[in-house]
Amino acid sequence: MNDIREVEVVVIGAGQAGLSSAYHLRRTGFVPERDFVVLDHSPGPGGAWQFRWPSLTYGKVHGMHALPGMELEGADAERPSSEVISEYFERYERTFDLRVRRPVGVRAVRSASVTAGAVGRQGGSAAGGRLLVETSDGTWAAKALINATGTWDRPFWPRYPGQETFRGRQLHTAQYAGPEAFAGLRVVVVGGGASGTQHLLELASYAADTTWVTRRPPVFREGPFDESAGRAAVALVEERVRQGLPPKSVVSVTGLPLNDAIRRGLADGVLDRLPMFDRLTPDGVEWNDGRHVSADVVLWATGFRPAVDHLTPLRLREPGGGIRVEGTRAVADPRVHLVGYGPSASTIGANRAGRAAVRDIARLLAQPEGERGAAAA
C-alpha cells in the first residue's frame, strides 16, 4: 500500500448523523480534506432520504429535525421528502464547505499497528495505532473514525416457510416506489412500524385488497410525546447497546402516534391487524388454524439493521450480536464512534451524538500517541 492518505478523522456516511458530525468537527477546528474526510457511497446528497418513495411527501414526515446550524425553512409540505431533504442537505454541505466525497464505497476498516512503506499525506509512514479505511477510492489512515452509515442498506427480510414457492411479487420497503404499481392487486403488508401503516394507508385506494399482519399487536400512542417520554424511550434503546445487544428502533418502544390518518385507517378497517401468518403458499399466505389469504404481493415492511459489516475486521461485536457502545464510543475500540446507531438513530439524536462523538475524539487525539495506542489495544 503506497498511496495511503493520512487524516485525523474519517467520517463514513453523509446522512443526518454524518453531516452533524462533520459540522461539529469543523466547529472544533478540524479542516476538511486536511484533518478529516467525509465519505458517502450514495450518488448525491440526502442520505437515505434520497431513496424514499415519491408519495412520501414532506408533510407526512414524522419528526424531521433540522441539522445543527441551519434550519430547514419554507419547505413545501406537498413536495416529495426525497426532493426537499436532498436539496436541504446539498445546501448544508455547500454552506459549511464539508466537501463530501461521493460516490465512495467503504469496503473494510481494519486496525494497523504497523503499515510498512505506507506514505501518508505529509510524507510520513502510517504510524501504529491508526485505522485503515479501505474504499473504492483508495485507503485512508485515520486516528479516529465516525461511523454514520445508518440502516437503509441493510433491509431485514424475515424467513418464513414457503417463501420460495410464492408465485407473486415480494418486495421490501426499501424497494417501494409508491402505491400506483399495486393498482388492482391483493397486497399483504407485513410489519407493525411506521412504514407498514404508511404503506397500508396509501395502498387502500389503489389495491384490490390489503391485509395487515404483524408479529405483535401494534401499540398506538395517544397524546403528546413530551421530552420526558422521549428520554425514557431512548434510555431503553441505549440500555440494549450498552449490553452489546443489537439495537431496536426507538419507535419499537414508543409506539405509533395516533394521528388523524391513523384514526381514519382504524375506522375504515384498513388497519385491521391479523397475527403473523405461519407460511407462504404459491398463491398467498396461510395460518396453522387453516385460514388462508390470497395475495399477488407481499410487502415486507420489516425494518432495517445497522449497516456495519465493513467494521467486521475490528471485531467489535459482542456475543449478544451487537456492538457495545458507551455514549457513541465503541467499548472494544475507543477510536471508533457510532453515530446514528441505536439510541441516536433519530434525527435529533444524530445531531446530539455527532457533537458528543467529536468532543470525545478531540479528547482522544489530545492524548500522547502512545496512550491512544494503549487505549485502542
Side-chain angles (χ1 to χ4, degrees):
M1 294 187 225
N2 55 10
D3 64 343
I4 295 176
R5 290 160 281 188
E6 289 185 5
V7 289
E8 301 285 286
V9 185
V10 168
V11 180
I12 306 176
Q16 186 101 11
L19 293 184
S20 170
S21 300
Y23 169 85
H24 288 294
L25 282 168
R26 286 220 63 164
R27 288 202 63 182
T28 306
F30 292 84
V31 177
E33 293 292 309
R34 189 192 76 186
D35 301 323
F36 76 93
V37 65
V38 183
L39 310 177
D40 187 36
H41 84 297
S42 298
W49 290 102
Q50 66 193 281
F51 306 115
R52 296 294 202 269
W53 51 98
S55 54
L56 181 63
T57 58
Y58 184 66
K60 294 179 183 177
V61 170
H62 176 65
M64 169 66 193
H65 198 274
L67 285 158
M70 193 172 90
E71 294 295 320
L72 172 52
E73 298 176 332
D76 183 351
E78 298 305 312
R79 287 188 69 202
S81 59
S82 57
E83 296 177 6
V84 171
I85 298 174
S86 292
E87 289 172 6
Y88 170 53
F89 279 22
E90 191 277 331
R91 192 163 63 251
Y92 190 86
E93 292 177 16
R94 190 174 63 249
T95 299
F96 295 107
D97 191 27
L98 300 180
R99 306 189 198 180
V100 178
R101 290 175 174 247
R102 59 169 59 91
V104 177
V106 175
R107 295 167 179 157
V109 181
R110 60 185 82 249
S111 190
S113 56
V114 178
T115 307
V119 179
R121 173 176 49 81
Q122 297 175 348
S125 64
R130 286 185 180 265
L131 295 161
L132 292 183
V133 183
E134 300 169 3
T135 81
S136 60
D137 188 34
T139 300
W140 274 265
K143 297 175 182 176
L145 175 79
I146 295 177
N147 191 81
T149 47
T151 62
W152 185 259
D153 295 321
R154 280 204 65 204
F156 174 62
W157 292 75
R159 298 300 305 166
Y160 277 86
Q163 229 162 343
E164 68 285 352
T165 71
F166 180 63
R167 290 193 294 257
R169 183 186 179 198
Q170 296 184 62
L171 74 159
H172 190 275
T173 290
Q175 301 161 306
Y176 179 79
E180 295 83 3
F182 302 88
L185 300 179
R186 299 162 298 177
V187 184
V188 173
V189 178
V190 183
S195 293
T197 55
Q198 287 173 0
H199 294 332
L200 285 156
L201 295 173
E202 283 194 348
L203 291 169
S205 58
Y206 289 86
D209 185 53
T210 60
T211 302
W212 186 25
V213 297
T214 70
R215 283 194 304 147
R216 301 182 195 87
V219 176
F220 295 101
R221 185 186 74 242
E222 292 224 49
F225 188 65
D226 59 21
E227 190 173 341
S228 174
R231 281 198 301 268
V234 168
L236 290 172
V237 180
E238 192 168 22
E239 183 56 30
R240 285 185 62 86
V241 299
R242 266 205 206 98
Q243 295 174 19
L245 298 172
K248 287 186 175 180
S249 67
V250 174
V251 76
S252 71
V253 294
T254 63
L256 295 161
L258 194 57
N259 55 31
D260 290 343
I262 294 288
R263 286 192 178 91
R264 285 194 300 271
L266 291 167
D268 295 344
V270 173
L271 296 181
D272 283 347
R273 170 259 178 192
L274 294 176
M276 190 64 200
F277 52 75
D278 294 294
R279 68 190 64 83
L280 287 85
T281 67
D283 62 348
V285 297
E286 190 173 78
W287 288 257
N288 285 338
D289 63 7
R291 182 188 331 211
H292 181 274
V293 169
S294 298
D296 304 298
V297 180
V298 176
L299 174 52
W300 299 91
T302 44
F304 299 79
R305 298 293 183 264
V308 292
D309 287 352
H310 55 286
L311 302 179
T312 299
L314 297 177
R315 299 181 181 178
L316 303 178
R317 287 193 189 274
E318 299 289 328
I323 298 174
R324 192 152 64 97
V325 172
E326 290 284 354
T328 63
R329 185 179 64 253
V331 172
D333 192 329
R335 299 169 297 178
V336 179
H337 286 256
L338 286 86
V339 179
Y341 177 86
S344 63
S346 65
T347 53
I348 189 169
N351 285 357
R352 292 170 177 166
R355 182 174 63 241
V358 170
R359 190 165 54 235
D360 206 342
I361 285 171
R363 284 196 295 264
L364 177 73
L365 297 186
Q367 298 175 9
E369 184 132 356
E371 292 181 24
R372 292 202 303 269

